[in-house]
Amino acid sequence: MQLNRSLKHWFRKHVWAAHPYAPDAPRHLRDSAIYANRIEMDDGLVIHTQHNPLAPLGAAQFVGRHLRAERVLFLVTLTWSTRSPNIIRRLASIVDIYKHRRPEHDFLFLCNEIEEVSQFLAAGLDAELCSHNALVDEFEFEIAEPCEKDFRATYNGAMIPWKRHWLAECVKGCAFIFYHNNDIPMDEAIAYLEDLRAKMPAHVFVNEVREGTIQRIRLSRVRDVVSRSRVGLCLSEAEGAMRASIEYLLCGLPVVSTHSQGGRDQFSGPDYWLMVEDNPEAVRDGVTEMIGRSPAPEQIRHATLVKMLEHRSRLRSAVERLTDGRVVLPADLHDRAYRPPHQYIRATKLIEALGLP
């Protein structure tokens, strides 16, 4: 098995590699939506991007060929739990093949859990514990002025079964903020939504469905619903760090979470984060307990910001170390460099969007 794997890697590295091992994404993926952001630095080119199944190295597999002569550091965020040895082994192979052709490019994988970091390092990859939730803009989510708490709990998550909305069925006064995730077709998402509506008629489903499409709501509306809630819910069994969890905390909401793999508990605290079993009664009782505790919103937000800055500081140190001091991120850990816009760009527009030659 090992010999066969080594022979395959040698062939891909020195002769020819098909997608996803190839350094460049195939043409039919050039219209894919890729997360990419250029971090403005005077002393080096840093591109923040994301790992995904279509492009394991993110933007590098779309723009790398245009940057052959330049020193580039790609910061690759992991958006899903990546503890699988097979996934990490494949990533190590892809990086090795890529760097064989473009040795001037480097990769730093930003992990959401310490378990991921140790496995990446063991595979020979550069990695740091820097949750993608630490790079959320802390000024977009803040504690609102005192307002009526219309909901005992809110759950912000994709309308997809693995989010396990049904675990909130016993929570009275619960609101669902939701959206369509491209992992499933729209009609399947709407069918799942209708099933939830039938099972939980008293729950509030915030988003509208128009002409067979789930409508996203503005960020201001998300903040409004969260601010009018007493508790934020995290109910999936496995995913990435779950962006909604950090949004709850920055708005001063305590969290009730099921046990999970993916790293959202990096920002937990004993006073404002309660782990419960994955059944509706436990979630209901957890919400009741957390409302009874009534932790101060200011305390929750402050503790969360402290943890976020710890992650950002590790990122700053890792970038400086990896580039031998050539690239130093800002000393101000609230700088825009640590708060990249959360946007996806069509691969065909990446060169222009990143301001590359």
Side-chain angles (χ1 to χ4, degrees), residues 342-354:
H342 191 75
Q343 60 185 2
Y344 290 84
I345 308 165
R346 289 197 179 279
T348 50
K349 300 291 185 181
L350 274 176
I351 296 294
E352 176 184 351
L354 295 174

Side-chain angles (χ1 to χ4, degrees), residues 279-290:
N279 64 73
E281 293 76 20
V283 173
R284 176 201 61 202
D285 294 345
V287 169
T288 298
E289 178 178 339
M290 193 55 79

Side-chain angles (χ1 to χ4, degrees), residues 310-323:
E310 289 173 354
H311 283 249
R312 294 179 183 183
S313 180
R314 281 195 293 270
L315 172 61
R316 185 172 188 265
S317 297
V319 168
E320 184 174 4
R321 182 180 67 251
L322 189 60
T323 61

